[in-house]
Structures are given as structure tokens and as C-alpha cells.
Amino acid sequence: MEHILGEDWMVVPAGGSTGTAFYAQSAQKKLFLKRNSSPFLAVLSAQGIVPKLVWTKRLENGDVVTAQQWLDGKALNIEEIQHPKVAKLLSKIHQSSELLDMLLRIEQTTVKLDQTLVRVKQFVKGNKIGRNSLILYQAIKYLEDRLFDVYYDKQVVCHCDLNHHNWMLSNDGELFLIDWDNARVGDPAMDIGRILQSYIPKQDWDQWLAHYGIESSRYLLQRMHWHLLVDEIIAYVWALNQRDDKEADSHLRELYQLMRQVKEWHL
């Protein structure tokens, strides 16, 4: 990376599992560099959803390097993610036709519920513990029974990885949502459900949804739980495959919690 910027720059890996992100610093400037990030980044930058895109360069080997403004700030903690700013930024993302047009051009596909269900069932079938698990059987039965009830035709850009570490607050008070590698076009309930279930106390759900701009309904809760169950089934079986007992237990507890809610809330 140093040869792109010149001798005055110091470049260090930014961590992460892919090894494609770097911090770069000179006497006057700081940048965040990433190799082969999505062309989607330019639209996200133009809408102020991620830190400003400074330049894009193509290397001789065909790789593309992007440089973004490096802002001093912090990731949101679990309490801060309950702030109305989060709901309003997520709503802005979901309502953006520019983001939707660009991601459809890149991905050329949307999340289809029937295909998702087939994929989940095949994934579970490939693991012996998963095949014999009663809770997974019950969860998949729910997915099958509700397949046509949770159809939603207003597809939007969903981030699909709303961990609180991906929400960044600059020292100037600007809120950003970063790490768009898992973005898909689908039901906004995929994102809304993850935020509510993971970070918002149940008694505050209606208030959070009001900040987002919609009202709670049985239909919304059904859609949220359908997608949350998909996520937790896949995460649980993946952890079993990795022999990560601690992670598997965490997702198993979440599966039981979701199935309890489905039953108690008559979803």
C-alpha cells in the first residue's frame, strides 16, 4: 500500500478477518484504505452514511483501492445504539432509492424467502446434531408454516450486520454505519428485527419504531422473527460445525428465546 501513497505515509493493517483494510497516516493527513471494496461505497459516501470517499485507484494487478476520510471517534456501545439517531439513520438507508438502484445493479438479486428456506434446511441436514435437534425442527416448521404470511414486496437495501461495533460516532457528533460487505436487497424487517431483538428493551420497541417511522404490528413481528430465526439457525449450525461450543450455546439460547416469543405473542 505504501507505494500508492508515497514515502511520507505510514500504513498499518486495520485488523478484521479479510486483511484488506489499512490505516494510513502522514504528517498532514489520515486515511482509511480498503482493497476491493464494493462500488456501492461511492453512493454510501455521497449520502453521508459512511465517512467521505477521498479517492479510488486501480492497481496494475487489477485490484481497486479506496481511500476514505479517517475520522476520530468511537463505536457505539450497547446503550448508545438505543438513541433515536440510530433509528433515523436506518430509516434513511431503507428509504434510499439511490442505494437500492446501485445495489441491484451490483448484486442483481434480492433475498427470496423460498430459496432462503431451502438453503437453511440443507445446511441443517449437513450436521448430525442439527438433524436431530427438536428446537431446530420446531424453528424450521415455523419458517415453513409462515412462508406465505411474511412475504413483503417493498424491497430495500439491508445492511444485514448491525452489530453495535459497525455504528460509529465521530468526535463531531456525526453517526455512520460502516462495513457493508453483507448488504442485501430484501425486507427491512431483517435489519429492524436485529436491532430490536439485540439492543432495545421490549418496552421501548414501540418508541424506537416511532423514531424509525412505522408502527408495530403482528405482521412486522412475524417478518422480524422469520428472518431472526433464519439467522440464528445458520449461526448455531455454523458454530456446531466449527466445534465452538460457547458460540453454539449462545445461538441455541437465542433460538429458544425467539421460539418462546413466537408462542407467547401468537406469531
Side-chain angles (χ1 to χ4, degrees):
M1 285 287 182
E2 285 88 346
H3 68 277
I4 306 172
L5 297 164
E7 296 177 0
D8 299 336
W9 289 81
M10 181 177 70
V11 180
V12 296
S17 56
T18 59
T20 59
F22 303 85
Y23 295 125
Q25 185 168 5
S26 70
Q28 292 84 26
K29 206 168 186 181
K30 296 178 180 179
L31 294 172
F32 175 75
L33 307 180
K34 192 158 187 187
R35 193 193 303 268
N36 295 330
S37 62
S38 167
F40 193 44
L41 187 65
V43 188
L44 292 166
S45 168
Q47 298 210 359
I49 294 162
V50 299
K52 186 179 177 184
L53 183 65
V54 180
W55 50 253
T56 301
K57 293 183 180 179
R58 183 174 291 278
L59 306 184
E60 289 180 6
N61 65 0
D63 284 353
V64 174
V65 175
T66 53
Q68 285 174 268
Q69 185 180 12
W70 176 1
L71 297 172
D72 291 321
K74 64 186 276 298
L76 295 189
N77 62 36
I78 291 171
E79 288 75 31
E80 289 167 337
I81 209 167
Q82 299 173 24
H83 195 281
K85 265 189 168 184
V86 170
K88 287 170 182 172
L89 180 54
L90 189 61
S91 180
K92 173 185 172 180
I93 290 163
H94 287 167
Q95 291 179 42
S96 171
S97 57
E98 291 87 357
L99 290 180
L100 181 60
D101 290 345
M102 175 57 85
L103 193 56
L104 280 172
R105 261 187 277 166
I106 297 166
E107 294 282 326
Q108 298 182 330
T109 183
T110 63
V111 174
K112 294 182 171 59
L113 302 187
D114 55 345
Q115 294 176 5
T116 298
L117 181 55
V118 168
R119 194 177 81 247
V120 168
K121 290 164 79 170
Q122 288 175 340
F123 194 49
V124 171
K125 198 181 288 185
N127 181 279
K128 186 177 180 182
I129 296 173
R131 282 198 305 272
N132 297 314
S133 164
L134 179 59
I135 188 68
L136 288 190
Y137 173 82
Q138 292 170 334
I140 289 172
K141 183 76 167 60
Y142 177 83
L143 297 182
E144 291 173 336
D145 291 345
R146 286 284 174 263
L147 181 62
F148 297 108
D149 297 330
V150 299
Y151 176 77
Y152 186 72
D153 61 359
K154 191 177 185 306
Q155 304 284 282
V156 305
V157 168
C158 297
H159 183 275
C160 296
D161 186 13
L162 291 176
N163 185 293
H164 64 96
H165 296 296
N166 287 331
W167 294 92
M168 299 217 58
L169 186 68
S170 77
N171 288 349
D172 294 330
E174 294 177 286
L175 182 65
F176 299 102
L177 180 57
I178 62 170
D179 195 353
W180 283 83
D181 293 344
N182 295 312
R184 304 287 307 280
V185 174
D187 185 343
M190 292 194 294
D191 281 346
I192 294 168
R194 178 52 61 200
I195 291 278
L196 292 182
Q197 186 72 10
S198 298
Y199 298 111
I200 312 298
K202 177 63 174 68
Q203 65 269 22
D204 296 333
W205 282 19
D206 287 353
Q207 184 182 38
W208 191 94
L209 288 169
H211 290 306
Y212 174 90
I214 58 174
E215 291 184 357
S216 183
S217 67
R218 183 168 177 265
Y219 178 43
L220 174 63
L221 294 175
Q222 283 180 333
R223 286 156 46 211
M224 281 168 39
H225 279 71
W226 201 95
H227 291 289
L228 286 166
L229 282 167
V230 166
D231 288 349
E232 294 302 334
I233 291 168
I234 290 173
Y236 173 55
V237 175
W238 187 88
L240 289 176
N241 290 339
Q242 302 300 310
R243 293 183 166 82
D244 187 338
D245 293 341
K246 185 178 176 184
E247 190 73 10
D249 286 345
S250 172
H251 291 295
L252 186 60
R253 285 194 301 274
E254 189 62 28
L255 274 168
Y256 276 109
Q257 171 73 9
L258 288 167
M259 290 305 292
R260 268 197 304 274
Q261 290 173 352
V262 161
K263 187 175 181 181
E264 291 170 5
W265 302 349
H266 306 291
L267 302 179

